[in-house]
Amino acid sequence: MNFGQLGDKEKTVLEQFREATKDCVLPDANDDYLLRWLIARDFDLIRAEKMLRDSMEWRRHFKVDGMLDNYKAPEVLARYFTGGHIGVDKQKNYLIAIRYGAMDLKGILRSAKKRDYLMHVIGIAERCVISMRNNPDKFKQSPDAISQLTIIFDMDGFSMRHITYKPGIDTVLQLLQVYEANYPELLRRVFVINAPKVFAVLYSMMKPLMHEKTANKVHVFSNNSDQWKAALLEDIDPQELPACYGGTLTDPDGNPNCVTMFNIGGEVPKSYYLNGETDVSYKKLLSIARGSKEQLQFQIAKPNSVVKWDFHSEDGDIAFAVYREKEGGLLPIVPHERVDCHLSSEEGEMRCDYTGVYVVEFDNSFSYLRSKKIWYSISIESVNDQNGIIDGDNFN
């Protein structure tokens, strides 16, 4: 859809949406950007506004705006994440290919924190969006069209080892949720090719998390190359498609796999693996029984105080969150999220805008098999606007 195809009623809703969200600091205030949120919520103004505001908070919390100015991918991701931009489809949509089946996701997640992996993929999405925004002649079929993305997921090499590695599955599902909540109408079409029968297991986990609009854009093909090559060439001109996928693109040396455009994957060397060894001399020990959680309360006496944390686990990942007590309930400040603190220490900080009681939570309720030992250090630092940090306290 583009702006020119809108009826009078839809144009009116778009103007109302612009007025309702005029206080938001948006990464793009053009009509086509606002239109994405309305399309995703069937032009329901209230639901679209909530979705947009939730996403702006997500961008603020994870510092997505401007991340590409400062972000540098860990070497293991730069070398072994298998994906890249290859061209455009026939409707001038941005085209990328990801050789998911050839990716050693277990090796990557043993060599980098899950958060690094998530931020790396978010960074790829942000680069796509920025490239499309800055090059409308190249990535738009018409001036008032919505720029979109076409993806080829090559599942060649996908097997039960991918399905049975739970951290990998958790990461895939979390990324899907991030997409659905924060990148509405970014996808035009997804081609899943070389999908073995076991892919159906993964897709059955993913589909309940997909909006119907997203699910309708996914086209799955088995390893019958005649079928998926024909489907790709219906949407993509040969000169925009690697020769290994039925097009005419090759590397300068004639390689049909176009390895100069994106990584081909492969097993991650164990030299990249995180050893998980951390200093515990300044930390306290907290044991969390299987299926349970522990909460640590602390008082913030001065506004704008900074809470810092540094923790790791001996026995597996843990879910972490920070809340503020408000009217008898707990208001999430740092969203509840499972972190791979058994691989390396999880470090972070947040500014507390309000005084009152805050709660740090370590949650092991998802694990009914293992208790967890958490080594942690949490400190509160008061800030003076003129002189900086003037005092600090540890708590347990």
Side-chain angles (χ1 to χ4, degrees), residues 84-86 99 240-245 248-264:
H85 170 55
I86 54 178
R99 291 177 170 139
E240 301 286 341
L241 194 62
C244 63
Y245 295 141
T248 59
L249 273 179
T250 64
D251 285 317
D253 63 0
N255 190 329
N257 294 309
C258 295
V259 297
T260 58
M261 292 185 176
F262 49 95
N263 296 332
I264 61 173

Side-chain angles (χ1 to χ4, degrees), residues 94 128-136 139 147-149 186:
Y94 198 99
C128 293
V129 171
I130 291 171
S131 293
M132 292 187 292
R133 184 188 307 149
N134 293 341
N135 300 279
F139 297 117
S147 299
Q148 292 184 297
L149 173 68
L186 179 60

Side-chain angles (χ1 to χ4, degrees), residues 192-213:
V192 181
I193 64 173
N194 291 319
K197 291 182 179 179
V198 72
F199 173 75
V201 178
L202 175 61
Y203 196 56
S204 68
M205 299 178 192
M206 297 172 63
K207 199 164 184 179
L209 301 177
M210 291 183 187
H211 193 284
E212 183 181 359
K213 294 179 185 292

Side-chain angles (χ1 to χ4, degrees), residues 224-346:
N224 185 327
S225 60
D226 290 339
Q227 288 184 350
W228 56 255
K229 284 182 180 179
L232 291 176
L233 289 170
E234 282 185 12
D235 260 30
I236 307 164
D237 287 325
Q239 65 269 23
E240 301 286 341
L241 194 62
C244 63
Y245 295 141
T248 59
L249 273 179
T250 64
D251 285 317
D253 63 0
N255 190 329
N257 294 309
C258 295
V259 297
T260 58
M261 292 185 176
F262 49 95
N263 296 332
I264 61 173
E267 185 176 354
V268 175
K270 288 184 172 56
S271 59
Y272 282 101
Y273 285 13
L274 301 172
N275 59 29
E277 295 179 1
T278 53
D279 181 12
V280 298
S281 62
Y282 63 99
K283 294 180 177 179
K284 298 182 181 297
L285 177 62
L286 180 65
S287 295
I288 306 175
R290 60 186 183 181
S292 68
K293 64 179 69 173
E294 295 289 339
Q295 294 182 333
L296 307 175
Q297 291 188 340
F298 58 98
Q299 183 78 34
I300 293 294
K302 300 177 182 179
N304 298 320
S305 294
V306 175
V307 176
K308 296 185 176 183
W309 56 85
D310 178 358
F311 63 89
H312 72 275
S313 166
E314 293 183 359
D315 310 290
D317 66 341
I318 198 77
F320 176 76
V322 180
Y323 304 94
R324 177 167 65 89
E325 286 192 357
K326 184 179 180 182
E327 298 175 354
L330 293 178
L331 178 68
I333 305 298
V334 175
H336 183 279
E337 181 181 14
R338 288 172 64 173
V339 293
D340 296 326
C341 55
H342 59 302
L343 299 178
S344 63
S345 288
E346 182 72 15

Side-chain angles (χ1 to χ4, degrees), residues 100-103 105 157-166 168-169:
Y100 188 85
M103 193 182 319
L105 188 53
F158 186 81
S159 67
M160 280 302 296
R161 66 185 173 89
H162 294 87
I163 297 294
T164 56
Y165 183 54
K166 192 174 185 301
I169 295 297

Side-chain angles (χ1 to χ4, degrees), residues 4-42:
Q5 295 174 321
L6 298 181
D8 291 340
K9 182 178 179 181
E10 291 166 328
K11 288 181 180 179
T12 299
V13 174
L14 177 58
E15 288 305 311
Q16 292 172 338
F17 188 47
R18 180 184 293 280
E19 178 66 21
T21 59
K22 65 181 181 181
D23 61 304
C24 295
V25 180
L26 304 175
D28 184 350
N30 291 327
D31 284 339
D32 58 344
Y33 181 79
L34 293 174
L35 195 55
R36 296 178 188 275
W37 307 87
L38 289 172
I39 294 173
R41 290 299 178 262
D42 299 317

Side-chain angles (χ1 to χ4, degrees), residues 7 30 48 57 62 85 146 188 227 232 349 360:
N30 291 327
E57 176 59 24
F62 288 100
H85 170 55
I146 293 178
R188 173 185 173 263
Q227 288 184 350
L232 291 176
E349 64 179 57
V360 169

